[in-house]
Amino acid sequence: MARGRFILLEGCDRAGKSTQCTMLVDALKAKDLSVELYKFPDRTTTIGQMIHAYLTNSKELDDRAIHLLFSANRWEAMQEMKRKLSAGIHLVVDRYAYSGVAFSTAKGLDLTWCKNPDRGLIRPDITFFLDLPTSEAERRGGFGDERYEKRELQENVREVFLKLKDKEWTVIDAKKSILAMHFEILRETELKIRDGEKDGRFA
Ligand code: T5A
Ligand code: NA
């Protein structure tokens, strides 16, 4: 059986990641593909609840401690994600290790130190980076409620993201309409899924 594809949507806060993840999952399901949605942080686990308390300012934590919790929150999902990919299920993932590195580095931690705890996590097959200037993000719903939703930090985060960007990322202009972004993401995803069937690397 062909292995499922790991499709990651990354980007700045309010760039539309969650909106696009839901639309992509629905579109792939409508094409009779098996697909599941993952979101990081996963706030439903014990570790995720600690992260949520930190993000909503009800708990203080050392910058390194919270960084490690975000990473642990990915590690606790790894076995299940691997099993699903092996079973031919495509995974659409809302944020991942790049967010982890971008936010903690933007706060002032060392880049290499930030990357280390995520070493060994499964790699995405396709990474979409939804790029949105901070001034635009601020105008969108809900901006300003959580700990990291501050202009200066967001600008630093975007700079780190652009440094982490490699040639395999697909950059999506998140100033576009929801539908325009959706069609772009869907088209690239379908190409990637078809490629996988041809080259057989994931058999
Ligand atoms: N974090 C995360 C770390 O520090 N380390 C880590 O390891 C990880 C994984 C919470 C915080 O955690 C940090 C990063 C974050 O600061 P989260 O739970 O993913 O992460 O954050 P959320 O608040 O859920 O999501 P975002 O703020 O990133 O928003 P999204 O998902 O990018 O945007 P979305 O789809 O919810 O849309 C936001 C608003 O914009 C509108 C939507 O309708 C909505 O109102 N919108 C558009 N408007 C105009 N044009 C478009 N194209 C639009 N698309 C969406
Ligand atoms: Na989101």
PDB file of all heavy atoms in Angstrom, residues 66-102:
ATOM      1  N   ILE A  66       9.087  25.697  28.336  1.00  0.00           N
ATOM      2  CA  ILE A  66       7.927  25.678  27.423  1.00  0.00           C
ATOM      3  C   ILE A  66       8.357  25.186  26.037  1.00  0.00           C
ATOM      4  O   ILE A  66       7.623  24.458  25.371  1.00  0.00           O
ATOM      5  CB  ILE A  66       7.190  27.052  27.358  1.00  0.00           C
ATOM      6  CG1 ILE A  66       5.926  26.981  26.479  1.00  0.00           C
ATOM      7  CG2 ILE A  66       8.076  28.179  26.855  1.00  0.00           C
ATOM      8  CD1 ILE A  66       4.839  26.099  26.994  1.00  0.00           C
ATOM      9  N   HIS A  67       9.572  25.526  25.632  1.00  0.00           N
ATOM     10  CA  HIS A  67      10.058  25.020  24.339  1.00  0.00           C
ATOM     11  C   HIS A  67      10.050  23.492  24.330  1.00  0.00           C
ATOM     12  O   HIS A  67       9.599  22.868  23.361  1.00  0.00           O
ATOM     13  CB  HIS A  67      11.468  25.545  24.051  1.00  0.00           C
ATOM     14  CG  HIS A  67      11.988  25.105  22.720  1.00  0.00           C
ATOM     15  ND1 HIS A  67      11.589  25.688  21.541  1.00  0.00           N
ATOM     16  CD2 HIS A  67      12.835  24.084  22.366  1.00  0.00           C
ATOM     17  CE1 HIS A  67      12.176  25.065  20.525  1.00  0.00           C
ATOM     18  NE2 HIS A  67      12.928  24.087  20.998  1.00  0.00           N
ATOM     19  N   LEU A  68      10.554  22.904  25.407  1.00  0.00           N
ATOM     20  CA  LEU A  68      10.620  21.437  25.482  1.00  0.00           C
ATOM     21  C   LEU A  68       9.222  20.817  25.550  1.00  0.00           C
ATOM     22  O   LEU A  68       8.998  19.729  25.012  1.00  0.00           O
ATOM     23  CB  LEU A  68      11.476  21.009  26.679  1.00  0.00           C
ATOM     24  CG  LEU A  68      12.957  21.415  26.560  1.00  0.00           C
ATOM     25  CD1 LEU A  68      13.707  21.119  27.861  1.00  0.00           C
ATOM     26  CD2 LEU A  68      13.636  20.707  25.379  1.00  0.00           C
ATOM     27  N   LEU A  69       8.285  21.513  26.173  1.00  0.00           N
ATOM     28  CA  LEU A  69       6.911  20.986  26.218  1.00  0.00           C
ATOM     29  C   LEU A  69       6.276  20.969  24.820  1.00  0.00           C
ATOM     30  O   LEU A  69       5.618  20.002  24.452  1.00  0.00           O
ATOM     31  CB  LEU A  69       6.035  21.812  27.177  1.00  0.00           C
ATOM     32  CG  LEU A  69       6.308  21.631  28.672  1.00  0.00           C
ATOM     33  CD1 LEU A  69       5.397  22.556  29.479  1.00  0.00           C
ATOM     34  CD2 LEU A  69       6.099  20.178  29.109  1.00  0.00           C
ATOM     35  N   PHE A  70       6.495  22.045  24.037  1.00  0.00           N
ATOM     36  CA  PHE A  70       5.990  22.050  22.657  1.00  0.00           C
ATOM     37  C   PHE A  70       6.571  20.861  21.878  1.00  0.00           C
ATOM     38  O   PHE A  70       5.863  20.201  21.110  1.00  0.00           O
ATOM     39  CB  PHE A  70       6.365  23.355  21.944  1.00  0.00           C
ATOM     40  CG  PHE A  70       5.409  24.505  22.149  1.00  0.00           C
ATOM     41  CD1 PHE A  70       5.789  25.653  22.835  1.00  0.00           C
ATOM     42  CD2 PHE A  70       4.126  24.460  21.612  1.00  0.00           C
ATOM     43  CE1 PHE A  70       4.917  26.731  22.987  1.00  0.00           C
ATOM     44  CE2 PHE A  70       3.245  25.535  21.768  1.00  0.00           C
ATOM     45  CZ  PHE A  70       3.642  26.672  22.460  1.00  0.00           C
ATOM     46  N   SER A  71       7.866  20.613  22.063  1.00  0.00           N
ATOM     47  CA  SER A  71       8.498  19.504  21.349  1.00  0.00           C
ATOM     48  C   SER A  71       7.936  18.160  21.832  1.00  0.00           C
ATOM     49  O   SER A  71       7.598  17.289  21.031  1.00  0.00           O
ATOM     50  CB  SER A  71      10.021  19.561  21.540  1.00  0.00           C
ATOM     51  OG  SER A  71      10.616  18.477  20.864  1.00  0.00           O
ATOM     52  N   ALA A  72       7.815  18.016  23.144  1.00  0.00           N
ATOM     53  CA  ALA A  72       7.276  16.769  23.715  1.00  0.00           C
ATOM     54  C   ALA A  72       5.860  16.506  23.205  1.00  0.00           C
ATOM     55  O   ALA A  72       5.459  15.362  22.989  1.00  0.00           O
ATOM     56  CB  ALA A  72       7.282  16.854  25.245  1.00  0.00           C
ATOM     57  N   ASN A  73       5.106  17.567  22.985  1.00  0.00           N
ATOM     58  CA  ASN A  73       3.743  17.477  22.477  1.00  0.00           C
ATOM     59  C   ASN A  73       3.723  16.902  21.052  1.00  0.00           C
ATOM     60  O   ASN A  73       2.776  16.229  20.643  1.00  0.00           O
ATOM     61  CB  ASN A  73       3.131  18.887  22.545  1.00  0.00           C
ATOM     62  CG  ASN A  73       1.639  18.956  22.232  1.00  0.00           C
ATOM     63  OD1 ASN A  73       1.223  19.755  21.390  1.00  0.00           O
ATOM     64  ND2 ASN A  73       0.817  18.165  22.895  1.00  0.00           N
ATOM     65  N   ARG A  74       4.805  17.146  20.291  1.00  0.00           N
ATOM     66  CA  ARG A  74       4.918  16.511  18.966  1.00  0.00           C
ATOM     67  C   ARG A  74       5.364  15.059  19.124  1.00  0.00           C
ATOM     68  O   ARG A  74       4.814  14.150  18.491  1.00  0.00           O
ATOM     69  CB  ARG A  74       5.916  17.279  18.095  1.00  0.00           C
ATOM     70  CG  ARG A  74       5.373  18.597  17.599  1.00  0.00           C
ATOM     71  CD  ARG A  74       6.335  19.323  16.678  1.00  0.00           C
ATOM     72  NE  ARG A  74       7.380  20.072  17.349  1.00  0.00           N
ATOM     73  CZ  ARG A  74       7.236  21.283  17.884  1.00  0.00           C
ATOM     74  NH1 ARG A  74       6.075  21.887  17.849  1.00  0.00           N
ATOM     75  NH2 ARG A  74       8.255  21.891  18.474  1.00  0.00           N
ATOM     76  N   TRP A  75       6.354  14.843  20.003  1.00  0.00           N
ATOM     77  CA  TRP A  75       6.844  13.467  20.180  1.00  0.00           C
ATOM     78  C   TRP A  75       5.742  12.521  20.647  1.00  0.00           C
ATOM     79  O   TRP A  75       5.705  11.362  20.245  1.00  0.00           O
ATOM     80  CB  TRP A  75       8.026  13.449  21.173  1.00  0.00           C
ATOM     81  CG  TRP A  75       9.308  13.809  20.496  1.00  0.00           C
ATOM     82  CD1 TRP A  75      10.017  14.968  20.620  1.00  0.00           C
ATOM     83  CD2 TRP A  75      10.032  13.014  19.543  1.00  0.00           C
ATOM     84  NE1 TRP A  75      11.120  14.953  19.812  1.00  0.00           N
ATOM     85  CE2 TRP A  75      11.158  13.761  19.145  1.00  0.00           C
ATOM     86  CE3 TRP A  75       9.834  11.744  18.987  1.00  0.00           C
ATOM     87  CZ2 TRP A  75      12.088  13.278  18.210  1.00  0.00           C
ATOM     88  CZ3 TRP A  75      10.752  11.271  18.067  1.00  0.00           C
ATOM     89  CH2 TRP A  75      11.858  12.036  17.693  1.00  0.00           C
ATOM     90  N   GLU A  76       4.831  13.017  21.480  1.00  0.00           N
ATOM     91  CA  GLU A  76       3.797  12.105  21.994  1.00  0.00           C
ATOM     92  C   GLU A  76       2.818  11.689  20.889  1.00  0.00           C
ATOM     93  O   GLU A  76       2.091  10.727  21.051  1.00  0.00           O
ATOM     94  CB  GLU A  76       3.062  12.686  23.218  1.00  0.00           C
ATOM     95  CG  GLU A  76       2.285  13.950  22.977  1.00  0.00           C
ATOM     96  CD  GLU A  76       1.611  14.489  24.242  1.00  0.00           C
ATOM     97  OE1 GLU A  76       1.416  13.726  25.199  1.00  0.00           O
ATOM     98  OE2 GLU A  76       1.281  15.698  24.253  1.00  0.00           O
ATOM     99  N   ALA A  77       2.822  12.407  19.757  1.00  0.00           N
ATOM    100  CA  ALA A  77       1.928  12.034  18.644  1.00  0.00           C
ATOM    101  C   ALA A  77       2.627  11.159  17.603  1.00  0.00           C
ATOM    102  O   ALA A  77       1.977  10.630  16.692  1.00  0.00           O
ATOM    103  CB  ALA A  77       1.402  13.296  17.964  1.00  0.00           C
ATOM    104  N   MET A  78       3.965  11.019  17.720  1.00  0.00           N
ATOM    105  CA  MET A  78       4.748  10.410  16.633  1.00  0.00           C
ATOM    106  C   MET A  78       4.346   8.998  16.249  1.00  0.00           C
ATOM    107  O   MET A  78       4.177   8.689  15.079  1.00  0.00           O
ATOM    108  CB  MET A  78       6.234  10.400  17.009  1.00  0.00           C
ATOM    109  CG  MET A  78       7.147  11.395  16.352  1.00  0.00           C
ATOM    110  SD  MET A  78       6.735  12.059  14.754  1.00  0.00           S
ATOM    111  CE  MET A  78       5.600  13.372  15.203  1.00  0.00           C
ATOM    112  N   GLN A  79       4.196   8.106  17.243  1.00  0.00           N
ATOM    113  CA  GLN A  79       3.912   6.699  16.903  1.00  0.00           C
ATOM    114  C   GLN A  79       2.599   6.582  16.145  1.00  0.00           C
ATOM    115  O   GLN A  79       2.506   5.876  15.146  1.00  0.00           O
ATOM    116  CB  GLN A  79       3.897   5.814  18.154  1.00  0.00           C
ATOM    117  CG  GLN A  79       5.269   5.635  18.811  1.00  0.00           C
ATOM    118  CD  GLN A  79       6.386   5.306  17.821  1.00  0.00           C
ATOM    119  OE1 GLN A  79       6.203   4.509  16.891  1.00  0.00           O
ATOM    120  NE2 GLN A  79       7.548   5.933  18.000  1.00  0.00           N
ATOM    121  N   GLU A  80       1.595   7.328  16.630  1.00  0.00           N
ATOM    122  CA  GLU A  80       0.281   7.275  15.983  1.00  0.00           C
ATOM    123  C   GLU A  80       0.344   7.854  14.564  1.00  0.00           C
ATOM    124  O   GLU A  80      -0.230   7.291  13.622  1.00  0.00           O
ATOM    125  CB  GLU A  80      -0.716   8.066  16.833  1.00  0.00           C
ATOM    126  CG  GLU A  80      -2.157   7.867  16.422  1.00  0.00           C
ATOM    127  CD  GLU A  80      -3.083   8.800  17.192  1.00  0.00           C
ATOM    128  OE1 GLU A  80      -3.223   9.980  16.783  1.00  0.00           O
ATOM    129  OE2 GLU A  80      -3.648   8.350  18.210  1.00  0.00           O
ATOM    130  N   MET A  81       1.080   8.948  14.396  1.00  0.00           N
ATOM    131  CA  MET A  81       1.192   9.540  13.059  1.00  0.00           C
ATOM    132  C   MET A  81       1.902   8.577  12.101  1.00  0.00           C
ATOM    133  O   MET A  81       1.489   8.412  10.957  1.00  0.00           O
ATOM    134  CB  MET A  81       1.934  10.887  13.129  1.00  0.00           C
ATOM    135  CG  MET A  81       1.095  11.993  13.757  1.00  0.00           C
ATOM    136  SD  MET A  81       2.030  13.519  14.060  1.00  0.00           S
ATOM    137  CE  MET A  81       2.278  14.130  12.384  1.00  0.00           C
ATOM    138  N   LYS A  82       2.960   7.944  12.586  1.00  0.00           N
ATOM    139  CA  LYS A  82       3.685   6.965  11.749  1.00  0.00           C
ATOM    140  C   LYS A  82       2.780   5.829  11.332  1.00  0.00           C
ATOM    141  O   LYS A  82       2.780   5.409  10.180  1.00  0.00           O
ATOM    142  CB  LYS A  82       4.884   6.386  12.523  1.00  0.00           C
ATOM    143  CG  LYS A  82       6.109   7.257  12.495  1.00  0.00           C
ATOM    144  CD  LYS A  82       7.272   6.535  13.172  1.00  0.00           C
ATOM    145  CE  LYS A  82       8.472   7.462  13.274  1.00  0.00           C
ATOM    146  NZ  LYS A  82       9.487   6.962  14.214  1.00  0.00           N
ATOM    147  N   ARG A  83       2.000   5.327  12.299  1.00  0.00           N
ATOM    148  CA  ARG A  83       1.090   4.209  11.987  1.00  0.00           C
ATOM    149  C   ARG A  83       0.093   4.616  10.899  1.00  0.00           C
ATOM    150  O   ARG A  83      -0.171   3.852   9.984  1.00  0.00           O
ATOM    151  CB  ARG A  83       0.307   3.800  13.249  1.00  0.00           C
ATOM    152  CG  ARG A  83       0.921   2.646  14.022  1.00  0.00           C
ATOM    153  CD  ARG A  83      -0.109   1.968  14.940  1.00  0.00           C
ATOM    154  NE  ARG A  83      -0.836   2.899  15.795  1.00  0.00           N
ATOM    155  CZ  ARG A  83      -0.376   3.389  16.945  1.00  0.00           C
ATOM    156  NH1 ARG A  83       0.819   3.028  17.391  1.00  0.00           N
ATOM    157  NH2 ARG A  83      -1.110   4.221  17.660  1.00  0.00           N
ATOM    158  N   LYS A  84      -0.429   5.815  11.022  1.00  0.00           N
ATOM    159  CA  LYS A  84      -1.431   6.263  10.043  1.00  0.00           C
ATOM    160  C   LYS A  84      -0.811   6.425   8.655  1.00  0.00           C
ATOM    161  O   LYS A  84      -1.401   6.017   7.657  1.00  0.00           O
ATOM    162  CB  LYS A  84      -2.098   7.545  10.517  1.00  0.00           C
ATOM    163  CG  LYS A  84      -3.014   7.238  11.698  1.00  0.00           C
ATOM    164  CD  LYS A  84      -3.800   8.410  12.189  1.00  0.00           C
ATOM    165  CE  LYS A  84      -4.768   7.908  13.270  1.00  0.00           C
ATOM    166  NZ  LYS A  84      -5.329   8.991  14.063  1.00  0.00           N
ATOM    167  N   LEU A  85       0.362   7.029   8.588  1.00  0.00           N
ATOM    168  CA  LEU A  85       1.027   7.192   7.288  1.00  0.00           C
ATOM    169  C   LEU A  85       1.292   5.830   6.658  1.00  0.00           C
ATOM    170  O   LEU A  85       1.059   5.628   5.463  1.00  0.00           O
ATOM    171  CB  LEU A  85       2.330   7.985   7.448  1.00  0.00           C
ATOM    172  CG  LEU A  85       2.175   9.477   7.797  1.00  0.00           C
ATOM    173  CD1 LEU A  85       3.513  10.080   8.205  1.00  0.00           C
ATOM    174  CD2 LEU A  85       1.579  10.259   6.628  1.00  0.00           C
ATOM    175  N   SER A  86       1.749   4.873   7.473  1.00  0.00           N
ATOM    176  CA  SER A  86       2.011   3.523   6.948  1.00  0.00           C
ATOM    177  C   SER A  86       0.740   2.857   6.459  1.00  0.00           C
ATOM    178  O   SER A  86       0.779   2.020   5.557  1.00  0.00           O
ATOM    179  CB  SER A  86       2.629   2.609   8.008  1.00  0.00           C
ATOM    180  OG  SER A  86       3.745   3.223   8.544  1.00  0.00           O
ATOM    181  N   ALA A  87      -0.388   3.218   7.083  1.00  0.00           N
ATOM    182  CA  ALA A  87      -1.672   2.632   6.680  1.00  0.00           C
ATOM    183  C   ALA A  87      -2.267   3.354   5.467  1.00  0.00           C
ATOM    184  O   ALA A  87      -3.419   3.108   5.087  1.00  0.00           O
ATOM    185  CB  ALA A  87      -2.648   2.669   7.851  1.00  0.00           C
ATOM    186  N   GLY A  88      -1.512   4.287   4.886  1.00  0.00           N
ATOM    187  CA  GLY A  88      -1.970   4.952   3.668  1.00  0.00           C
ATOM    188  C   GLY A  88      -2.837   6.178   3.915  1.00  0.00           C
ATOM    189  O   GLY A  88      -3.449   6.710   2.993  1.00  0.00           O
ATOM    190  N   ILE A  89      -2.879   6.630   5.171  1.00  0.00           N
ATOM    191  CA  ILE A  89      -3.704   7.801   5.490  1.00  0.00           C
ATOM    192  C   ILE A  89      -2.856   9.074   5.328  1.00  0.00           C
ATOM    193  O   ILE A  89      -1.741   9.153   5.856  1.00  0.00           O
ATOM    194  CB  ILE A  89      -4.248   7.692   6.937  1.00  0.00           C
ATOM    195  CG1 ILE A  89      -5.090   6.422   7.088  1.00  0.00           C
ATOM    196  CG2 ILE A  89      -5.035   8.947   7.329  1.00  0.00           C
ATOM    197  CD1 ILE A  89      -5.432   6.058   8.530  1.00  0.00           C
ATOM    198  N   HIS A  90      -3.380  10.047   4.584  1.00  0.00           N
ATOM    199  CA  HIS A  90      -2.689  11.334   4.458  1.00  0.00           C
ATOM    200  C   HIS A  90      -2.928  12.161   5.717  1.00  0.00           C
ATOM    201  O   HIS A  90      -4.025  12.134   6.272  1.00  0.00           O
ATOM    202  CB  HIS A  90      -3.213  12.107   3.249  1.00  0.00           C
ATOM    203  CG  HIS A  90      -3.064  11.353   1.960  1.00  0.00           C
ATOM    204  ND1 HIS A  90      -1.832  10.996   1.449  1.00  0.00           N
ATOM    205  CD2 HIS A  90      -3.991  10.860   1.097  1.00  0.00           C
ATOM    206  CE1 HIS A  90      -2.010  10.341   0.313  1.00  0.00           C
ATOM    207  NE2 HIS A  90      -3.310  10.224   0.087  1.00  0.00           N
ATOM    208  N   LEU A  91      -1.912  12.871   6.172  1.00  0.00           N
ATOM    209  CA  LEU A  91      -2.064  13.719   7.356  1.00  0.00           C
ATOM    210  C   LEU A  91      -1.888  15.174   6.979  1.00  0.00           C
ATOM    211  O   LEU A  91      -0.876  15.551   6.391  1.00  0.00           O
ATOM    212  CB  LEU A  91      -1.026  13.331   8.425  1.00  0.00           C
ATOM    213  CG  LEU A  91      -1.027  11.883   8.896  1.00  0.00           C
ATOM    214  CD1 LEU A  91       0.035  11.689   9.984  1.00  0.00           C
ATOM    215  CD2 LEU A  91      -2.404  11.462   9.427  1.00  0.00           C
ATOM    216  N   VAL A  92      -2.885  15.972   7.292  1.00  0.00           N
ATOM    217  CA  VAL A  92      -2.784  17.420   7.123  1.00  0.00           C
ATOM    218  C   VAL A  92      -2.457  17.975   8.511  1.00  0.00           C
ATOM    219  O   VAL A  92      -3.183  17.730   9.476  1.00  0.00           O
ATOM    220  CB  VAL A  92      -4.102  18.021   6.581  1.00  0.00           C
ATOM    221  CG1 VAL A  92      -4.066  19.540   6.612  1.00  0.00           C
ATOM    222  CG2 VAL A  92      -4.349  17.514   5.155  1.00  0.00           C
ATOM    223  N   VAL A  93      -1.342  18.683   8.620  1.00  0.00           N
ATOM    224  CA  VAL A  93      -0.841  19.086   9.940  1.00  0.00           C
ATOM    225  C   VAL A  93      -0.770  20.617  10.044  1.00  0.00           C
ATOM    226  O   VAL A  93      -0.177  21.278   9.196  1.00  0.00           O
ATOM    227  CB  VAL A  93       0.538  18.432  10.215  1.00  0.00           C
ATOM    228  CG1 VAL A  93       1.055  18.845  11.587  1.00  0.00           C
ATOM    229  CG2 VAL A  93       0.413  16.907  10.122  1.00  0.00           C
ATOM    230  N   ASP A  94      -1.391  21.130  11.099  1.00  0.00           N
ATOM    231  CA  ASP A  94      -1.502  22.570  11.374  1.00  0.00           C
ATOM    232  C   ASP A  94      -0.386  22.949  12.359  1.00  0.00           C
ATOM    233  O   ASP A  94      -0.512  22.676  13.545  1.00  0.00           O
ATOM    234  CB  ASP A  94      -2.912  22.792  11.986  1.00  0.00           C
ATOM    235  CG  ASP A  94      -3.290  24.245  12.167  1.00  0.00           C
ATOM    236  OD1 ASP A  94      -2.427  25.124  12.026  1.00  0.00           O
ATOM    237  OD2 ASP A  94      -4.481  24.487  12.482  1.00  0.00           O
ATOM    238  N   ARG A  95       0.704  23.522  11.865  1.00  0.00           N
ATOM    239  CA  ARG A  95       1.935  23.857  12.619  1.00  0.00           C
ATOM    240  C   ARG A  95       2.702  22.606  13.031  1.00  0.00           C
ATOM    241  O   ARG A  95       2.105  21.562  13.303  1.00  0.00           O
ATOM    242  CB  ARG A  95       1.663  24.643  13.903  1.00  0.00           C
ATOM    243  CG  ARG A  95       1.189  26.064  13.718  1.00  0.00           C
ATOM    244  CD  ARG A  95       1.326  26.743  15.080  1.00  0.00           C
ATOM    245  NE  ARG A  95       0.604  27.983  15.186  1.00  0.00           N
ATOM    246  CZ  ARG A  95       1.122  29.175  14.859  1.00  0.00           C
ATOM    247  NH1 ARG A  95       2.349  29.268  14.393  1.00  0.00           N
ATOM    248  NH2 ARG A  95       0.404  30.266  15.011  1.00  0.00           N
ATOM    249  N   TYR A  96       4.032  22.800  13.210  1.00  0.00           N
ATOM    250  CA  TYR A  96       4.887  21.660  13.583  1.00  0.00           C
ATOM    251  C   TYR A  96       6.188  22.225  14.140  1.00  0.00           C
ATOM    252  O   TYR A  96       6.198  23.308  14.746  1.00  0.00           O
ATOM    253  CB  TYR A  96       5.105  20.805  12.322  1.00  0.00           C
ATOM    254  CG  TYR A  96       5.609  19.396  12.513  1.00  0.00           C
ATOM    255  CD1 TYR A  96       4.959  18.493  13.354  1.00  0.00           C
ATOM    256  CD2 TYR A  96       6.746  18.949  11.838  1.00  0.00           C
ATOM    257  CE1 TYR A  96       5.417  17.178  13.477  1.00  0.00           C
ATOM    258  CE2 TYR A  96       7.211  17.640  11.958  1.00  0.00           C
ATOM    259  CZ  TYR A  96       6.531  16.763  12.783  1.00  0.00           C
ATOM    260  OH  TYR A  96       6.990  15.470  12.905  1.00  0.00           O
ATOM    261  N   ALA A  97       7.290  21.530  13.903  1.00  0.00           N
ATOM    262  CA  ALA A  97       8.555  21.916  14.532  1.00  0.00           C
ATOM    263  C   ALA A  97       9.058  23.295  14.087  1.00  0.00           C
ATOM    264  O   ALA A  97       9.750  23.974  14.850  1.00  0.00           O
ATOM    265  CB  ALA A  97       9.610  20.857  14.235  1.00  0.00           C
ATOM    266  N   TYR A  98       8.726  23.719  12.868  1.00  0.00           N
ATOM    267  CA  TYR A  98       9.216  25.039  12.425  1.00  0.00           C
ATOM    268  C   TYR A  98       8.643  26.140  13.312  1.00  0.00           C
ATOM    269  O   TYR A  98       9.344  27.093  13.651  1.00  0.00           O
ATOM    270  CB  TYR A  98       8.842  25.300  10.963  1.00  0.00           C
ATOM    271  CG  TYR A  98       9.462  24.316   9.995  1.00  0.00           C
ATOM    272  CD1 TYR A  98       8.676  23.465   9.239  1.00  0.00           C
ATOM    273  CD2 TYR A  98      10.853  24.256   9.844  1.00  0.00           C
ATOM    274  CE1 TYR A  98       9.242  22.555   8.347  1.00  0.00           C
ATOM    275  CE2 TYR A  98      11.427  23.354   8.944  1.00  0.00           C
ATOM    276  CZ  TYR A  98      10.613  22.506   8.213  1.00  0.00           C
ATOM    277  OH  TYR A  98      11.172  21.607   7.330  1.00  0.00           O
ATOM    278  N   SER A  99       7.361  26.010  13.695  1.00  0.00           N
ATOM    279  CA  SER A  99       6.782  26.987  14.629  1.00  0.00           C
ATOM    280  C   SER A  99       7.539  26.948  15.955  1.00  0.00           C
ATOM    281  O   SER A  99       7.815  27.988  16.552  1.00  0.00           O
ATOM    282  CB  SER A  99       5.305  26.669  14.905  1.00  0.00           C
ATOM    283  OG  SER A  99       4.472  27.148  13.880  1.00  0.00           O
ATOM    284  N   GLY A 100       7.843  25.740  16.394  1.00  0.00           N
ATOM    285  CA  GLY A 100       8.561  25.600  17.667  1.00  0.00           C
ATOM    286  C   GLY A 100       9.866  26.376  17.656  1.00  0.00           C
ATOM    287  O   GLY A 100      10.166  27.153  18.574  1.00  0.00           O
ATOM    288  N   VAL A 101      10.637  26.193  16.605  1.00  0.00           N
ATOM    289  CA  VAL A 101      11.943  26.854  16.489  1.00  0.00           C
ATOM    290  C   VAL A 101      11.755  28.367  16.282  1.00  0.00           C
ATOM    291  O   VAL A 101      12.443  29.180  16.904  1.00  0.00           O
ATOM    292  CB  VAL A 101      12.759  26.232  15.338  1.00  0.00           C
ATOM    293  CG1 VAL A 101      14.036  27.024  15.084  1.00  0.00           C
ATOM    294  CG2 VAL A 101      13.098  24.774  15.660  1.00  0.00           C
ATOM    295  N   ALA A 102      10.806  28.748  15.428  1.00  0.00           N
ATOM    296  CA  ALA A 102      10.639  30.169  15.108  1.00  0.00           C
ATOM    297  C   ALA A 102      10.260  30.993  16.342  1.00  0.00           C
ATOM    298  O   ALA A 102      10.843  32.046  16.590  1.00  0.00           O
ATOM    299  CB  ALA A 102       9.582  30.343  14.011  1.00  0.00           C
TER     300      ALA A 102
END
